[in-house]
Amino acid sequence: MHTVRPLFVSTYPPEECGLATFTRDSADAVDLAALEPVSSLAAIQKTRRLHYDDPRVVHVIHNRRPDAYHHAAEVANDGPYDVVSLQHEFGLYPGIWGDHVLDCIYTCRKPIITTFHTLMTEPAAMPRQLIRELAAHSQGIVVMTEIAARLLASVYHVNGPPMQVIPHGVPEVDFDVDSIRKSRLGVAGRRVLCTFGLINRGKGLEYMIEAMPRIVAAYPDVIYLIVGVTHPEVKRQEGEVYRERLAAMAEALGVGAHVRFVNEYLSLPDLLVYLQACDVYVTPYPGKDQIASGTLAYAMAAGRAVVSTPYLYAEEVLAEGRGQLVPFSQSAALADATLRFLNDPEFREETQRRAYEYAKPMFWPNVGRQYLDFFSEVLAASEWRLDRLHRAVFAKPSGNGHRPHELLHGGK
C-alpha cells in the first residue's frame, strides 16, 4: 500500500522559533508512523540565509523574492509529493497580513492541508478574508484545540473542507521530579518557578516579575528562571531592550537575586532538565488570541503545575483542574496562584498528575499517526473527486455531440 508523502511548508531548524521546532518534530513523527522517511520540507527563510543539514529539506523559500511562493507551488506540483502540509501563522509570510502565501495556494495542484497556528477572536476584514481564502483552497484543515475549530466556524464562517483537531505534539517525558536536576542547574534546595520560550513583549514577563516580591517574602529561597533567547526578529529591531528592562525591574523591586535569565536556545534534553526541575511553570501572556502554545504543551507533558493567563489554548487545556488560570495583566493574581501551589503540595501534585494524564495523547508518536492518517484521508478523498470528475467529463457527450476534451482541441 502506498504511504502518503507530505511536503511541509514552514520555517525549519536551524531557524530558532517554535514553529520550526514544531515542523521538524511533526515530520519526524510522521516518518515514525510511516515506518519510513516519507516527509519533505520546503523551508521558509524569513530574513537571514540558513544552511540546512536535514536532507529532507528539498526547497528553500526566500521571503524576499517576489515570486517565492509561486515557485514553491511549482516545486510541489513537479515533485513526488502527494499532499502539501501548509503551516500558517500571522507574521510568517510576506505581504499585507502575509497575503503572498496565496500565490502558493492558487498555483498548487496538490491537495493542501493547512494547519492554523494563530487565529484572532475579533479579526479585521483583511485577516478574516485571508483565513477564509486559505480554507477555501485547502482540502483539509488542522487546528490544535476544539476552541480553534469553533472560532473558524463562528467567526471566520469556515465550513467547507474536512477539519481535524490534532493536539500540539510533545516529547515523551517520564512523570518525574528529583533533586538531581535542580543540582545540575545550581538551584538545589530551592523552590523553582520557570517560563521558557523566545522572549518578546508579548510574553507578559513583567507581570510575573512584579509578582515576585510577595512570593519571595513567603519563600526566600525561591528563584524564577526565564529560559530562552530574545526573539530573532525583536533582537534585529531593538537588541536586548526588553530583557534589560525586565532585569532592571527585578533589581528595582529588590528581587534581582531571585530572577535568573538563561539566555540560551536550548536543545530538547537540556530544556527538559529545566522543566522537570521546576515546581511551578508560568505563562503570563497578556493576549487572548493564542490558539496554540508549544511551551505550555511541553510543561504539561513534563507534569508541571501551571499558572497561566486564560488565553484560548490555556483555557482549554488547563480546564478541569489541570492548572490554575488567572486574569490577564494582574500580578497579584499570579502571586496568589503561585503561592497556592507552593503552600499546598497535595494540591500541586494532584494538578500535576491531571496535566500529565491529559498530555499523554499528545506524545509525538500518537500525534504523528493522526497526521499521517489525516493526510491519507485527504489524499484519498481528492483522488476520489478527481476520478469522479474524470468519469463525468469523459462519459457524457456535450450538447453538440462532441466530448468536452474534443472541444478544447477543436474537435470536428
Side-chain angles (χ1 to χ4, degrees):
M1 179 180 175
H2 171 70
T3 303
V4 64
R5 295 163 297 185
L7 174 69
F8 290 86
V9 177
S10 177
T11 53
Y12 199 73
E15 184 73 72
E16 295 178 346
C17 71
L19 183 60
T21 302
F22 171 87
T23 304
R24 180 198 60 204
D25 293 342
S26 297
D28 289 346
V30 167
D31 289 354
L32 178 65
L35 302 179
E36 59 178 316
V38 295
S39 299
S40 299
L41 288 302
I44 298 171
Q45 289 193 355
K46 297 175 70 173
T47 52
R48 62 196 179 107
R49 288 186 176 273
L50 300 170
H51 174 71
Y52 301 96
D53 295 325
D54 192 329
R56 294 177 299 181
V57 177
V58 297
H59 178 63
V60 177
I61 302 172
H62 299 281
N63 265 1
R64 292 180 176 176
R65 284 182 52 181
D67 63 342
Y69 287 92
H70 178 88
H71 183 49
E74 293 294 357
V75 168
N77 293 337
D78 296 339
Y81 323 110
D82 298 309
V83 298
V84 173
S85 177
L86 181 75
Q87 308 301 308
H88 181 269
E89 67 178 15
F90 289 109
L92 175 60
Y93 298 99
I96 301 172
W97 286 101
D99 65 350
H100 286 196
V101 69
L102 299 178
D103 294 341
C104 181
I105 64 168
Y106 292 158
T107 308
C108 186
R109 297 189 299 272
K110 299 289 178 70
I112 297 173
I113 297 101
T114 299
T115 300
F116 288 110
H117 292 261
T118 54
L119 292 172
M120 304 172 194
T121 53
E122 299 178 357
M126 188 167 289
R128 184 200 303 266
Q129 184 57 34
L130 178 67
I131 294 295
R132 287 176 54 82
E133 196 71 2
L134 283 168
H137 287 80
S138 298
Q139 285 66 53
I141 291 173
V142 174
V143 291
M144 298 179 199
T145 58
E146 295 291 344
I147 199 165
R150 292 196 295 271
L151 263 180
L152 278 177
S154 62
V155 175
Y156 295 87
H157 306 296
V158 169
N159 55 14
M163 188 183 305
Q164 188 87 359
V165 177
I166 301 178
H168 193 298
V170 294
E172 294 184 87
V173 185
D174 293 331
F175 186 78
D176 180 34
V177 181
D178 62 57
S179 58
I180 295 176
R181 291 182 176 85
K182 289 190 177 184
S183 297
R184 284 180 58 183
L185 301 179
V187 292
R190 302 184 70 171
R191 291 167 176 83
V192 178
L193 318 178
C194 183
T195 297
F196 89 88
L198 296 176
I199 293 179
N200 60 71
R201 297 177 193 275
K203 297 293 185 181
L205 299 173
E206 59 270 27
Y207 299 109
M208 188 58 194
I209 291 175
E210 288 174 352
M212 286 301 293
R214 274 187 56 208
I215 300 171
V216 170
Y219 293 95
D221 64 348
V222 75
I223 186 164
Y224 179 33
L225 303 178
I226 300 175
V227 181
V229 298
T230 297
H231 193 289
E233 293 293 316
V234 174
K235 190 169 183 178
R236 269 189 285 274
Q237 293 172 14
E238 63 177 37
E240 296 285 0
V241 171
Y242 181 57
R243 182 192 300 272
E244 291 166 358
R245 183 164 70 84
L246 293 174
M249 176 186 293
E251 290 293 339
L253 292 171
V255 293
H258 300 269
V259 177
R260 180 186 300 175
F261 292 89
V262 183
N263 190 11
E264 299 178 56
Y265 192 85
L266 298 177
S267 66
L268 178 60
D270 288 340
L271 175 59
L272 292 179
V273 170
Y274 278 90
L275 284 176
Q276 291 185 296
C278 84
D279 299 292
V280 180
Y281 186 80
V282 186
T283 60
Y285 306 162
K288 186 175 181 63
D289 294 345
Q290 186 163 341
I291 60 169
S293 171
T295 62
L296 176 52
Y298 276 41
M300 296 181 73
R304 297 305 86 206
V306 178
V307 173
S308 178
T309 50
Y311 53 93
L312 294 177
Y313 184 75
E315 200 169 31
E316 180 165 319
V317 302
L318 296 180
E320 300 178 358
R322 295 186 289 266
Q324 292 189 79
L325 296 173
V326 301
F328 293 107
S329 309
Q330 292 194 19
S331 299
L334 287 166
D336 289 341
T338 302
L339 287 170
R340 186 181 179 196
F341 275 141
L342 296 179
N343 291 336
D344 190 342
E346 289 185 7
F347 171 65
R348 183 172 74 245
E349 290 167 11
E350 175 60 25
T351 305
Q352 290 175 321
R353 178 64 63 182
R354 291 184 181 190
Y356 185 74
E357 290 300 321
Y358 183 84
K360 281 183 179 178
M362 299 159 60
F363 288 168
W364 273 117
N366 301 326
V367 170
R369 169 51 59 186
Q370 292 182 63
Y371 272 108
L372 187 64
D373 289 346
F374 189 51
F375 292 164
S376 300
E377 291 170 15
V378 170
L379 177 62
S382 297
E383 290 175 340
W384 180 80
R385 284 193 294 269
L386 283 173
D387 182 64
R388 283 196 66 185
L389 178 63
H390 179 87
R391 290 172 183 270
V393 167
F394 289 95
K396 295 181 181 179
S398 61
N400 57 8
H402 294 298
R403 297 195 185 277
H405 76 285
E406 293 173 339
L407 293 175
L408 291 174
H409 298 284
K412 296 182 174 60

